[in-house]
C-alpha cells in the first residue's frame, strides 16, 4: 500500500507527498497518535491533497500517512435503524465520554447482535447483486439480506442457512460464481458512498402521491413517491420545523435524517422526541424506522459532505428492499459551503460567489440518486428526497438555490413576510410549485385514487389565491373605497384558502396531520364557499363575514375530523351564510 | 500562557503583512502558539518549512530579524474555581492587578460535546422583559444574539437580562468594548453585588484588535469548566461579535483568501458556529446559555455577519426604536426564540402560545394599516382599532423597560385583546376564549 508524509497543513487541507499510486476519493489515515481519516481530493504527481475529517491541530510536517486503497464506505446490514451516526457513520452512542475526542470512531453496526433469519432463496437458484437471499426482522421492518450489491455477474446458491438466529457476521449463504469459485455471504456488506447504489432494474416516472399530512404540500403542491423537493428560506422562516413535521407525519417506511452543519439542539430534539412519538401510519414508535446522521455545525466541516452521501447510500440500500424511504437533509447549503471552503483552500478558480464551478453538477448528481424503482422481482421501492437550502441573505438568486431548482421537482419557498406575520408553514403560495401536477401519471393516479378532476380543483384553488393577491395589491394601491367590492370579495376568498388550507399548526395534536380524505373534504368545502355568490353593500361587511368564516374553518381544523364539534362549526358556517342571506349572501353553499 | 517555557526559537521571518508573518521553521504543529516580540501568534498554515502565523498583537514593529518562540501547543487557559470574580485579557492574563490563576491547563478550542450527551433545553429563563419572555421566551442552554444598531442600548439590556436570569456564573467576553462600556459592566456587576460570580475576558478598543479572536474561545473554555466540571448554570455574554468577525476578515484578507459575501471569509459560518455551538444543556444539569450582541450596519440583517449568525443561533432579539412611543422595543416580527416552544404553554400557562401569536398577528395588521395611512389612504374602522391596539401593545408589552411576570404579561395580553377586538377577530381556540375572555355586561345583554 502507498504511504506518504505530510508536507503542508492549511486548516484541514493536508498536502501529502506519496511514494506510490493514489486514487481520487481514496481514504487515507494520518498518524496523530490516533489514526485520523482523510479523503484524497486532488492528485498532482506525487503530491496528494487530502481533506482531513478532523481538526488538524497536533499534525506537523512529516506526519506519517497510510493509504487504504478504498473510497469512503458505509457498512450496510441489519441494525442501522434507530442509530445515531456521525457524518462518517460512527455510532455516537458507542463513544465514551461527554466530548467527542480526536479520532473517535466506532463501528456502525452492533457486531455481536443476532437476528432471526428466514431464507428466501433456494439452493441452485441463480442470483445476482441485490437479490433477496433472506429476511430478518429489524425493528418492525422486513430487512432483506441481499447478495452484496457490489458483486458483478451471476451466481448460483450452493447453500443457504436454514431458519434460525444468526449473528450479523455469520455466513448465511454460500454462492458460486460463473468460474466455479465459491463465496460466502453474511448479513453485512459495504458500499462506497459517492457511487450511486443501484440494485434495481429500472427507474420509473413518479406519479403516486407521497403523503406528508401537510395540506399545503399534499393538496396544493403534492410530493410523489420517489420525488424530489427543496425548501429554501431565510433563517428562522421554518425550514427545520417543516422538515420535522414532514418526518413525523409522512407515510414513509424508513426515515433517514441528515443534520448537515446545523444546530446540535435540533438533533437532540429528534433524539428526545422520536422515541415517544407514534408513527401515524404503522402505530409503532417513530424512532424504530429512523436513522439520524449528524454532522452538526461544530463537527468537522469536511465530514459535512460525507454525511449527505452516507444518508443517501443508506436510503438507497433500504430502497433495494422494496421500501418507501424518505431522506431529509438540513441544510444542503452547509454541504455546498464545505465544498467551497475546501476549493478555496486548494486555490481553485472559483465560480459564482466563490463556490466551486462544478457545484451545479454535484447537486444534480446527488438529487438524481433519488427516485422510484422496479426491483428485479417487480417489487417497487423509492427514495424521496427533500433538502433545505439556507440562501445567503435570504436571497434565492444564489448558486445553491439556482442549481437545485434545475433538478428538484417541488419547490417549497419559505417567505420572510409570512413568517413575520406567523402564517405557518410560511410557504409562499404563489412562488411554490409541484411540477408533478403536470405529470399525466399523477393526473391519472389522482383521478382514480383521490377524486375525478382533482388536479383541476387544485388549479382552481391556486387561481383564487392568485386573483386574491392581485386584488390585495390593487386595494393597497387604490384604497379600500376606490375599488369595486368584488376586489374585496376576491381578496377575502384567498384569505379563506390561506387560513383554511395553507396555514397549519405543527404544534397542535390534531391540526399537525391531515389525512388525504380530510384534505379532500376541506378543499371541496372551501372551494364551495369560494364558489358561492355573495352580495354586499359595503366592503366592511365582506371582512366581517369572511373573518367569521375563517375563524370557524380554523376551529374545524383544530377538531377531530367529523367529530361533533367539527360538524357544529361546519353548521355554523352554513348558518352564517343562510341567516344573513337577506343582508349579504344570496345563495347558500353550492 | 507563559513565554518562559523552553521552546524552539527561530529568527528567519520571510514575509510580514499587517496581520500575519511567514517564518522559516521546522517541526511546527498546525495551530501552535508562538510569541513574536512578546506578542502572541498562532500557526494557521504550515507548508514545508514555511509557517504562516497570525499575529494577535499586530505586526507593528515586527522585523525580519524578530525572534519567534514556538510553545509546542495551541493557546490554553488554566481553569479552576479561582477564575471567579476575576478580569482577564484575551490571553487569560489578569488585568485586575490580581495574581495569575493556576489550575488545569486546557486547550481553548475544546472538543465537541457528543450530541447524544446533550439534554433537550427546556428550563425557562425569565428576564421580566415581555418582549423576551412573552414573545421570545428563552431557555437555559440556548444561544441567542441581540441584533442592534450601534446607537441602541444593547449592553444595558444585556446586563439587565444577565442580572435577572438565575445563573451561577456570568462570563463576559468583551471584544472591542469601549472603555466606557467595560466600566459600565464592571460597575453594574459591582453594584448588583455579583462580582464573585462573574468572570470577564476583555479586549477593549484600545487593545490590539486581532487579540479579540481569542476572546470567545477563552470565555467558552471557562464556561465549559463551570458548566461541565462544576455542573453549574452559566450565562455567557459575548459583545460585540461583529467586531470579532471583522478581525477574522482581516486575517483572511492578509492570507489572500478569496472572500465570499461582504468581504467575509468563506468559513465565517463554521467559525461562528464553533463558538455558538458551545451553548449546551448537559444531562447532569449544568448548562451554558449564550447571549451575544451583533451590531448591525443601518439595520441591514442581510449582511453576512448577522445573516450567518441568524442561521446558527436559536433565534435573535431585534432591538428597534419605536418612534410612536419613543422607546426601544423588542421587535416582535424579526425577533424569534426557536426554543420557546419547549416551554411555552408547557412550563408557562396553557394559553401562552395562542395569546402571543394573536397579539403579533394583530400587530402585523396594525403595521399594514400604518403603511396604508402613510400612503395617504383612508383608514377603515378596523385599521383604526389596530393602530390604537399597537400603541398600547408597544407601551405595555414590547418596550424593553418592562419588568413583570409571565402571568402578568398574559393578563395584559388578554386585556388588550378585549379592549380592541371582538372574539372572532383574534383567532384563538374556543377553549381558551371560553376560559380567559371575560364576558362583559354589554356582551351578555
Ligand atoms: N409551522 C410552524 N408553526 C409554528 N411555529 C413555527 C412554524 N415554523 C416555524 N416556526 C417558528 O419559527 C422558528 C424557526 O423555525 P425553523 O427553526 O424551522 O427555521 P429555519 O428556517 O430552519 O431556520 P435556520 O435556517 O436558521 O435553521 C421555530 O422555532 C418556531 O418558533
Ligand atoms: Mg433550520
Amino acid at each position: 500500500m502507498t504511504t506518504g508524509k505530510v508536507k503542508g497543513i492549511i486548516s484541514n487541507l493536508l498536502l501529502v507527498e506519496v511514494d506510490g499510486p493514489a486514487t481520487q476519493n481514496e481514504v487515507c489515515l494520518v498518524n496523530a497518535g490516533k489514526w485520523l481519516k482523510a479523503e484524497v481530493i486532488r492528485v498532482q504527481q506525487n503530491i496528494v491533497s487530502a481533506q482531513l475529517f478532523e481538526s488538524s491541530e497536533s499534525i506537523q510536517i512529516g506526519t506519517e500517512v497510510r493509504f487504504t486503497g478504498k473510497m469512503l464506505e458505509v457498512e450496510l446490514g441489519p441494525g442501522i435503524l434507530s442509530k445515531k451516526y456521525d457524518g462518517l457513520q460512527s455510532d455516537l452512542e458507542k463513544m465514551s465520554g461527554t466530548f467527542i475526542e480526536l479520532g473517535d470512531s466506532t463501528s456502525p453496526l452492533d457486531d455481536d447482535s443476532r437476528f432471526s433469519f428466514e431464507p428466501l432463496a433456494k439452493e441452485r437458484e441463480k442470483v445476482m447483486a441485490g437479490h433477496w437471499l433472506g429476511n430478518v426482522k429489524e425493528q418492525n421492518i422486513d430487512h432483506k439480506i441481499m447478495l452484496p450489491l457490489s458483486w458483478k455477474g451471476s451466481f448460483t446458491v450452493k447453500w443457504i442457512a436454514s431458519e434460525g438466529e444468526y449473528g450479523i457476521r455469520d455466513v448465511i449463504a454460500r454462492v458460486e460464481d460463473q468460474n466455479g469459485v465459491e463465496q460466502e455471504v453474511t448479513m453485512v456488506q459495504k458500499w462506497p458512498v459517492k457511487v450511486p447504489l443501484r440494485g434495481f432494474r429500472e427507474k420509473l416516472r413518479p406519479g403516486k402521491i407521497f403523503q406528508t399530512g401537510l395540506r399545503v404540500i399534499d393538496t396544493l403542491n403534492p410530493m410523489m413517491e420517489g420525488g424530489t423537493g427543496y425548501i429554501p428560506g431565510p433563517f428562522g422562516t421554518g425550514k427545520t420545523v417543516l422538515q420535522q413535521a414532514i418526518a413525523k407525519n409522512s407515510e414513509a417506511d424508513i426515515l433517514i435524517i441528515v443534520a448537515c452543519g446545523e444546530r446540535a439542539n435540533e438533533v437532540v430534539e429528534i433524539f428526545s422526541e422520536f422515541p415517544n412519538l407514534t408513527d401515524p401510519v404503522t402505530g409503532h414508535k417513530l424512532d424504530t424506522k429512523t436513522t439520524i446522521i449528524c454532522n452538526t455545525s461544530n463537527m468537522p466541516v469536511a465530514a459535512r459532505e460525507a454525511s449527505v452521501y452516507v444518508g443517501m447510500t443508506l436510503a438507497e440500500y433500504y430502497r433495494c428492499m422494496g421500501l418507501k424511504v424518505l431522506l431529509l437533509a438540513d441544510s444542503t447549503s452547509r454541504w455546498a459551503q464545505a465544498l467551497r471552503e475546501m476549493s478555496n483552500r486548494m486555490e481553485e478558480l472559483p465560480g459564482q460567489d466563490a463556490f466551486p464551478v462544478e457545484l451545479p453538477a454535484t447537486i444534480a448528481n446527488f438529487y438524481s440518486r433519488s427516485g422510484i424503482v422496479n426491483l428485479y422481482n417487480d417489487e417497487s421501492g423509492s427514495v424521496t428526497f427533500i433538502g433545505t437550502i439556507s440562501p445567503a441573505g435570504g436571497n434565492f438568486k444564489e448558486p445553491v438555490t439556482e442549481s437545485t431548482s434545475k433538478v428538484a421537482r417541488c419547490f417549497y419557498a419559505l417567505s420572510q413576510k409570512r413568517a413575520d406575520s406567523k402564517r405557518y408553514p410560511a410557504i409562499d403560495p404563489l412562488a411554490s410549485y409541484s411540477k408533478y401536477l403536470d405529470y399525466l401519471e399523477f393526473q391519472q393516479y389522482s383521478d382514480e385514487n383521490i377524486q375525478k378532476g382533482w388536479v383541476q380543483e387544485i388549479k382552481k384553488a391556486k387561481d383564487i389565491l392568485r386573483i386574491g393577491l392581485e386584488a390585495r395589491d390593487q386595494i393597497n394601491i387604490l384604497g379600500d373605497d376606490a375599488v369595486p367590492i368584488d376586489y374585496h370579495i376576491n381578496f377575502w376568498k384567498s384569505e379563506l384558502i390561506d387560513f383554511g388550507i395553507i396555514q397549519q399548526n405543527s404544534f397542535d395534536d390534531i391540526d399537525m396531520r391531515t389525512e388525504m380524505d380530510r384534505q379532500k373534504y376541506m378543499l371541496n368545502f372551501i372551494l364551495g364557499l369560494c364558489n358561492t355568490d355573495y352580495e354586499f353593500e359595503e366592503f366592511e361587511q365582506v371582512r366581517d363575514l369572511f373573518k367569521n368564516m375563517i375563524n370557524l374553518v380554523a376551529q374545524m381544523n383544530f377538531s377531530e375530523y367529523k367529530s361533533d364539534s367539527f360538524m357544529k362549526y361546519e353548521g355554523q358556517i352554513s348558518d352564517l351564510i343562510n341567516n344573513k342571506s337577506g343582508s349579504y349572501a344570496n345563495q347558500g353553499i353550492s | 500562557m507563559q513565554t518562559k517555557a523552553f521552546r524552539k526559537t527561530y529568527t528567519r521571518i520571510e514575509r510580514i503583512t499587517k496581520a500575519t508573518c511567514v517564518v522559516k521553521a521546522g517541526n511546527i504543529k498546525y495551530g501552535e502558539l508562538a510569541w513574536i516580540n512578546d506578542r502572541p501568534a498562532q500557526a494557521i498554515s504550515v507548508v514545508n518549512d514555511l509557517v504562516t502565523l497570525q499575529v494577535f498583537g499586530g505586526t507593528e514593529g515586527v522585523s525580519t530579524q524578530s525572534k519567534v518562540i514556538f510553545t509546542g501547543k495551541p493557546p490554553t487557559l488554566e481553569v479552576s474555581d479561582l477564575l471567579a470574580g476575576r478580569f482577564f485579557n484575551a490571553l487569560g492574563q489578569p488585568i485586575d492587578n490580581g495574581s495569575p490563576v493556576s489550575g488545569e491547563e486546557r486547550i481553548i478550542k475544546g472538543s465537541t460535546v457528543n450530541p447524544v450527551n446533550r439534554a433537550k433545553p427546556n428550563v425557562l429563563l425569565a428576564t421580566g422583559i415581555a418582549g423576551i419572555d412573552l414573545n421570545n421566551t428563552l431557555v437555559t442552554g440556548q444561544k441567542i444574539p441581540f441584533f442592534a444598531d450601534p446607537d441602541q442600548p444593547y449592553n444595558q439590556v444585556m446586563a439587565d437580562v444577565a442580572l435577572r436570569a438565575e445563573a451561577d456564573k456570568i462570563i463576559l467576553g468583551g471584544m472591542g468594548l469601549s472603555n466606557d462600556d467595560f466600566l459600565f459592566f464592571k460597575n453594574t456587576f459591582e453594584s448588583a453585588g455579583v462580582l464573585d460570580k462573574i468572570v470577564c475576558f476583555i479586549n477593549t478598543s484600545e487593545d490590539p484588535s486581532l487579540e479579540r479572536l481569542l476572546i470567545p474561545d477563552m470565555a467558552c473554555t471557562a464556561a465549559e469548566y463551570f458548566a461541565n466540571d462544576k455542573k453549574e448554570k452559566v450565562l455567557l455574554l459575548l459583545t460585540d461579535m461583529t467586531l470579532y468577525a471583522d478581525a477574522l476578515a482581516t486575517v483572511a484578507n492578509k492570507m489572500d483568501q478569496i472572500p465570499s459575501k461582504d468581504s467575509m471569509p468563506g468559513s465565517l459560518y463554521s467559525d461562528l458556529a464553533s463558538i455558538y455551538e458551545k451553548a449546551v444543556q448537559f444531562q447532569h444539569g449544568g448548562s451554558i446559555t449564550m447571549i451575544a450582541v451583533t451590531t448591525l450596519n443601518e439595520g441591514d440583517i442581510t449582511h453576512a455577519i448577522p445573516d450567518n449568525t441568524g442561521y446558527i443561533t436559536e433565534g435573535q432579539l431585534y432591538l428597534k426604536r419605536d418612534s410612536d412611543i419613543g422607546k426601544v422595543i423588542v421587535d416582535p416580527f424579526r425577533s424569534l426564540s426557536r426554543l420557546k416552544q419547549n416551554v411555552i404553554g408547557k412550563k408557562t400557562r396553557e394559553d401562552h402560545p395562542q395569546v402571543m401569536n394573536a397579539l403579533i398577528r394583530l400587530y402585523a395588521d396594525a403595521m399594514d394599516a400604518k403603511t396604508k395611512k402613510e400612503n395617504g389612504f383612508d383608514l377603515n374602522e378596523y385599521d383604526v382599532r389596530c393602530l390604537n391596539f399597537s400603541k398600547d401593545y408597544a407601551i405595555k408589552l414590547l418596550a424593553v423597560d418592562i419588568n413583570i411576570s409571565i402571568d402578568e404579561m398574559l393578563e395584559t395580553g388578554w386585556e388588550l385583546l378585549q379592549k380592541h377586538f371582538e372574539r372572532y377577530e383574534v383567532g384563538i381556540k374556543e377553549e381558551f376564549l371560553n376560559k380567559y375572555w371575560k364576558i362583559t355586561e354589554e356582551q351578555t345583554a
Side-chain angles (χ1 to χ4, degrees):
Chain A
M1 273 288 139
T2 302
T3 60
K5 283 198 163 27
V6 172
K7 281 284 148 191
I9 313 145
I10 306 156
S11 190
N12 68 334
L13 170 69
L14 303 183
L15 305 176
V16 184
E17 189 177 48
V18 291
D19 64 4
T23 317
Q24 182 75 338
N25 296 114
E26 181 175 351
V27 170
C28 55
L29 300 170
V30 183
N31 187 358
K34 276 178 167 178
W35 290 98
L36 310 182
K37 267 189 197 162
E39 183 188 16
V40 175
I41 47 177
R42 181 165 69 187
V43 184
Q44 279 175 327
Q45 284 148 356
N46 66 335
I47 298 291
V48 163
S49 305
Q51 58 175 344
L52 185 68
F53 291 122
E54 309 252 359
S55 144
S56 338
E57 289 187 0
S58 80
I59 294 183
Q60 58 185 20
I61 303 299
T63 297
E64 174 193 7
V65 182
R66 286 189 193 157
F67 288 74
T68 62
K70 290 197 171 128
M71 297 208 273
L72 188 67
E73 290 177 327
V74 283
E75 212 167 55
L76 302 167
I80 291 172
L81 296 180
S82 73
K83 281 275 186 317
K84 300 151 186 173
Y85 291 130
D86 75 0
L88 301 177
Q89 212 202 4
S90 273
D91 184 350
L92 288 170
E93 283 183 311
K94 290 197 187 100
M95 293 182 184
S96 55
T98 308
F99 295 88
I100 302 178
E101 301 300 343
L102 194 70
D104 271 356
S105 156
T106 56
S107 77
L109 301 174
D110 303 331
D111 289 318
D112 43 13
S113 61
R114 299 177 73 77
F115 287 87
S116 104
F117 176 83
E118 170 204 344
L120 294 175
K122 305 244 161 15
E123 273 160 32
R124 286 191 299 282
E125 197 176 324
K126 286 252 183 286
V127 291
M128 308 237 285
H131 279 216
W132 300 350
L133 302 180
N135 187 40
V136 301
K137 262 271 181 274
E138 177 187 12
Q139 307 276 11
N140 309 297
I141 297 289
D142 284 327
H143 187 121
K144 301 295 185 305
I145 306 301
M146 294 174 266
L147 192 78
L149 290 147
S150 56
W151 291 11
K152 300 207 166 61
S154 81
F155 296 79
T156 312
V157 179
K158 291 307 254 186
W159 171 84
I160 182 124
S162 50
E163 205 168 326
E165 232 185 50
Y166 298 87
I168 55 170
R169 302 203 189 260
D170 291 345
V171 176
I172 50 92
R174 263 186 225 105
V175 298
E176 190 182 86
D177 69 14
Q178 279 139 319
N179 306 324
V181 182
E182 223 176 68
Q183 317 245 29
E184 293 181 337
V185 181
T186 70
M187 295 189 200
V188 181
Q189 52 175 311
K190 290 192 170 179
W191 189 267
V193 295
K194 291 211 175 142
V195 179
L197 193 168
R198 289 182 56 90
F200 50 82
R201 187 191 290 152
E202 58 181 345
K203 253 192 191 163
L204 308 172
R205 225 171 117 85
K208 181 165 179 269
I209 190 167
F210 179 87
Q211 288 181 42
T212 64
L214 286 150
R215 296 185 290 265
V216 60
I217 296 183
D218 297 354
T219 298
L220 293 177
N221 303 291
M223 175 51 74
M224 300 294 125
E225 263 180 43
T228 48
Y230 68 116
I231 309 174
F235 64 79
T237 47
K239 298 179 289 296
T240 306
V241 172
L242 180 62
Q243 252 196 358
Q244 293 196 3
I246 296 172
K248 288 173 194 164
N249 299 308
S250 84
E251 49 167 359
D253 297 324
I254 302 285
L255 193 56
I256 312 263
I257 300 178
V258 186
C260 175
E262 292 288 306
R263 304 170 184 85
N265 278 339
E266 287 170 353
V267 288
V268 173
E269 194 161 319
I270 301 179
F271 294 165
S272 65
E273 276 189 357
F274 277 32
N276 302 316
L277 287 175
T278 306
D279 176 0
V281 182
T282 60
H284 298 298
K285 289 292 177 236
L286 212 51
D287 66 322
T288 62
K289 68 168 188 184
T290 307
T291 299
I292 297 158
I293 295 139
C294 54
N295 175 262
T296 56
S297 59
N298 55 342
M299 287 159 92
V301 177
R304 213 148 282 169
E305 187 201 3
S307 68
V308 292
Y309 285 100
V310 168
M312 180 56 90
T313 311
L314 298 185
E316 289 170 324
Y317 174 63
Y318 280 99
R319 174 170 68 188
C320 294
M321 301 175 200
L323 296 168
K324 227 188 288 180
V325 186
L326 175 62
L327 174 66
L328 300 171
D330 185 13
S331 142
T332 61
S333 294
R334 305 300 163 220
W335 156 41
Q337 281 179 345
L339 295 176
R340 174 169 74 183
E341 279 185 33
M342 215 16 102
S343 154
N344 293 355
R345 269 177 211 131
M346 296 206 300
E347 295 176 356
E348 291 175 346
L349 226 48
Q352 199 190 339
D353 289 357
F355 281 105
V357 275
E358 68 280 6
L359 184 74
T362 310
I363 290 178
N365 286 341
F366 187 81
Y367 273 79
S368 308
R369 287 174 70 168
S370 59
I372 180 164
V373 302
N374 262 343
L375 302 177
Y376 73 98
N377 55 3
D378 283 328
E379 299 275 340
S380 84
S382 61
V383 173
T384 306
F385 175 58
I386 303 176
T388 65
I389 297 183
S390 321
N395 183 353
F396 293 177
K397 282 212 165 332
E398 58 92 40
V400 185
T401 314
E402 284 175 346
S403 308
T404 309
S405 73
K406 295 189 183 116
V407 277
R409 305 261 117 185
C410 292
F411 175 50
Y412 304 120
L414 295 187
S415 116
Q416 184 74 59
K417 193 150 191 298
R418 288 183 67 88
D420 284 350
S421 50
K422 312 282 176 219
R423 295 187 175 212
Y424 290 123
I427 294 183
D428 182 327
L430 292 188
S432 304
Y433 58 75
S434 161
K435 287 194 182 152
Y436 298 117
L437 283 179
D438 299 328
Y439 277 36
L440 224 54
E441 287 84 352
F442 177 64
Q443 287 172 9
Q444 277 168 3
Y445 173 86
S446 56
D447 279 347
E448 282 163 28
N449 295 285
I450 303 176
Q451 158 179 331
K452 189 118 195 72
W454 177 248
V455 173
Q456 296 320 310
E457 296 302 302
I458 298 175
K459 293 196 167 152
K460 270 185 216 158
K462 292 197 157 194
D463 282 342
I464 296 173
L465 284 167
R466 192 174 34 76
I467 293 168
L469 292 181
E470 282 164 12
R472 185 197 59 191
D473 289 344
Q474 289 297 312
I475 298 171
N476 284 346
I477 295 170
L478 302 171
D480 286 330
D481 295 322
V483 297
I485 271 205
D486 275 358
Y487 280 54
H488 289 276
I489 300 177
N490 285 339
F491 166 64
W492 280 100
K493 282 179 179 171
S494 71
E495 286 286 276
L496 186 60
I497 294 182
D498 193 337
F499 279 87
I501 293 178
I502 298 176
Q503 291 180 49
Q504 188 168 357
N505 188 335
S506 291
F507 300 112
D508 182 87
D509 286 341
I510 294 170
D511 199 28
M512 63 187 258
R513 177 170 209 271
T514 311
E515 293 278 353
M516 208 53 218
D517 240 17
R518 180 175 180 159
Q519 293 198 27
K520 178 170 108 182
Y521 185 87
M522 287 311 286
L523 181 70
N524 289 321
F525 177 66
I526 288 178
L527 284 179
L529 295 176
C530 290
N531 286 334
T532 305
D533 286 326
Y534 301 94
E535 245 169 47
F536 296 95
E537 259 125 46
E538 50 174 37
F539 71 86
E540 305 254 352
Q541 294 175 336
V542 185
R543 194 192 70 224
D544 268 1
L545 176 72
F546 275 90
K547 279 226 152 176
N548 269 303
M549 285 205 282
I550 285 170
N551 176 42
L552 290 166
V553 170
Q555 306 291 354
M556 280 170 84
N557 284 337
F558 285 133
S559 313
E560 244 10 297
Y561 184 40
K562 301 222 163 145
S563 63
D564 290 349
S565 54
F566 181 91
M567 301 314 287
K568 183 186 83 188
Y569 295 125
E570 185 179 335
Q572 285 177 7
I573 295 179
S574 332
D575 289 350
L576 203 61
I577 293 174
N578 295 328
N579 290 348
K580 305 236 174 138
S581 61
S583 64
Y584 47 65
N586 67 357
Q587 214 183 304
I589 298 167
S590 53
Chain B
M1 279 192 222
Q2 295 292 328
T3 46
K4 312 282 179 296
F6 173 71
R7 277 303 301 175
K8 293 169 243 144
T9 306
Y10 296 88
T11 49
R12 292 214 23 211
I13 295 184
E14 308 253 316
R15 226 187 111 192
I16 305 169
T17 73
K18 278 205 172 106
T20 62
C21 66
V22 177
V23 58
K24 229 182 184 139
N27 272 329
I28 303 307
K29 287 188 185 135
Y30 177 82
E32 201 167 312
L33 179 75
W35 294 86
I36 306 178
N37 290 359
D38 282 336
R39 290 180 199 173
Q42 190 174 17
I44 49 173
S45 146
V46 186
V47 177
N48 296 319
D49 56 353
L50 291 181
V51 180
T52 307
L53 294 166
Q54 64 177 345
V55 187
F56 295 115
T59 52
E60 294 88 351
V62 172
S63 86
T64 48
Q65 263 119 65
S66 291
K67 208 158 52 167
V68 184
I69 304 168
F70 286 90
T71 63
K73 62 190 180 201
T76 56
L77 174 73
E78 292 191 35
V79 292
S80 80
D81 289 350
L82 300 173
L83 289 170
R86 302 293 307 274
F87 291 76
F88 304 96
N89 66 11
L91 304 164
Q93 295 160 335
I95 51 170
D96 53 5
N97 301 323
S99 54
V101 170
S102 60
E104 189 193 325
E105 187 175 20
R106 293 204 178 150
I107 294 175
I108 60 166
K109 215 163 203 49
S111 311
T112 304
V113 175
N114 186 337
V116 301
N117 291 327
R118 284 174 178 253
K120 183 173 167 179
N122 57 10
V123 178
L124 184 100
L125 193 110
T127 69
I129 300 171
I132 298 178
D133 294 3
L134 178 66
N135 291 343
N136 303 290
T137 326
L138 304 183
V139 298
T140 62
Q142 182 164 11
K143 46 190 176 288
I144 195 163
F146 280 102
F147 282 172
D149 283 334
D151 59 341
Q152 272 150 6
Y154 47 84
N155 282 335
Q156 281 83 334
V157 179
M158 192 159 84
D160 277 348
V161 170
L163 292 177
R164 289 183 202 161
E166 286 167 24
D168 299 320
K169 288 283 175 309
I170 300 170
I171 297 182
L172 172 67
M175 289 152 280
L177 210 56
S178 73
N179 201 48
D180 298 358
D181 282 351
F182 169 49
L183 293 176
F184 161 77
F185 276 112
K186 201 169 169 179
N187 296 340
T188 309
F189 291 146
E190 206 160 45
S191 52
V194 296
L195 269 188
D196 56 325
K197 63 172 190 179
I198 59 135
V199 187
C200 295
F201 294 89
I202 304 291
N203 159 269
T204 67
S205 46
E206 292 156 30
D207 298 328
S209 65
L210 293 185
E211 272 186 23
R212 65 184 64 136
L213 289 172
L214 292 167
I215 293 274
D217 289 339
M218 284 285 170
C220 286
T221 306
E224 232 162 40
Y225 168 76
F226 289 109
N228 188 34
D229 297 42
K230 299 285 152 180
K231 305 187 175 41
E232 294 187 345
K233 279 189 188 169
V234 178
L235 189 64
L236 176 53
L237 313 175
L238 295 172
T239 176
D240 165 359
M241 288 299 282
T242 298
L243 298 177
Y244 169 81
D246 286 342
L248 283 177
T250 307
V251 175
N253 175 278
K254 302 299 174 213
M255 294 275 294
D256 294 329
Q257 285 177 12
I258 307 156
S260 64
K261 204 169 162 272
D262 299 318
S263 321
M264 284 291 142
S267 58
L268 181 64
Y269 177 84
S270 309
D271 295 334
L272 292 176
S274 73
I275 296 165
Y276 283 116
E277 278 294 323
K278 291 280 177 190
V280 59
Q281 174 71 58
F282 289 108
Q283 284 168 355
H284 55 57
S287 64
I288 301 176
T289 310
M290 222 183 269
I291 299 184
V293 168
T294 301
T295 47
L296 304 176
N297 236 328
E298 290 167 13
D300 179 14
I301 62 164
T302 63
H303 183 281
I305 299 172
D307 188 48
N308 279 285
T309 304
Y311 277 120
I312 292 163
T313 52
E314 283 143 350
Q316 66 279 339
L317 299 166
Y318 197 83
L319 295 183
K320 172 176 129 176
R321 177 157 290 279
D322 183 333
S323 48
D324 291 341
I325 64 162
K327 283 185 178 182
V328 174
I329 62 166
V330 182
D331 183 343
F333 298 143
R334 308 314 303 275
S335 302
L336 175 72
S337 160
R338 291 149 190 261
L339 299 184
K340 63 173 183 272
Q341 51 259 33
N342 295 356
V343 289
I344 60 172
K346 295 173 187 157
K347 307 252 160 127
T348 65
R349 219 167 72 183
E350 53 176 1
D351 54 324
H352 185 159
Q354 296 237 343
V355 174
M356 164 192 86
N357 275 332
L359 291 168
I360 296 177
R361 243 191 242 134
L362 294 164
Y363 190 66
D365 284 353
M367 292 305 113
D368 286 346
K370 201 169 159 192
T371 316
K372 217 161 132 185
K373 191 167 150 197
E374 281 161 5
N375 293 342
F377 292 120
D378 294 340
L379 296 184
N380 60 42
E381 169 273 332
Y382 178 75
D383 294 332
V384 174
R385 280 193 285 135
C386 283
L387 283 181
N388 289 336
F389 156 76
S390 74
K391 218 170 265 169
D392 262 3
Y393 180 48
I395 293 174
K396 292 197 175 143
L397 290 172
L398 295 180
V400 292
D401 57 4
I402 284 162
N403 187 8
I404 52 176
S405 75
I406 296 184
D407 278 355
E408 286 170 305
M409 296 170 195
L410 291 172
E411 284 309 319
T412 312
W414 281 107
E415 274 163 30
L416 295 182
L417 291 175
Q418 290 171 69
K419 180 169 163 203
H420 300 282
F421 300 100
E422 301 294 328
R423 275 171 78 115
Y424 72 89
E425 286 174 327
V426 298
I428 291 181
K429 249 190 188 178
E430 190 140 299
E431 174 194 342
F432 294 137
L433 286 172
N434 290 340
K435 201 157 160 189
Y436 298 102
W437 192 279
K438 298 193 183 67
I439 298 175
T440 61
E441 278 163 42
E442 190 192 338
Q443 277 165 323
T444 40

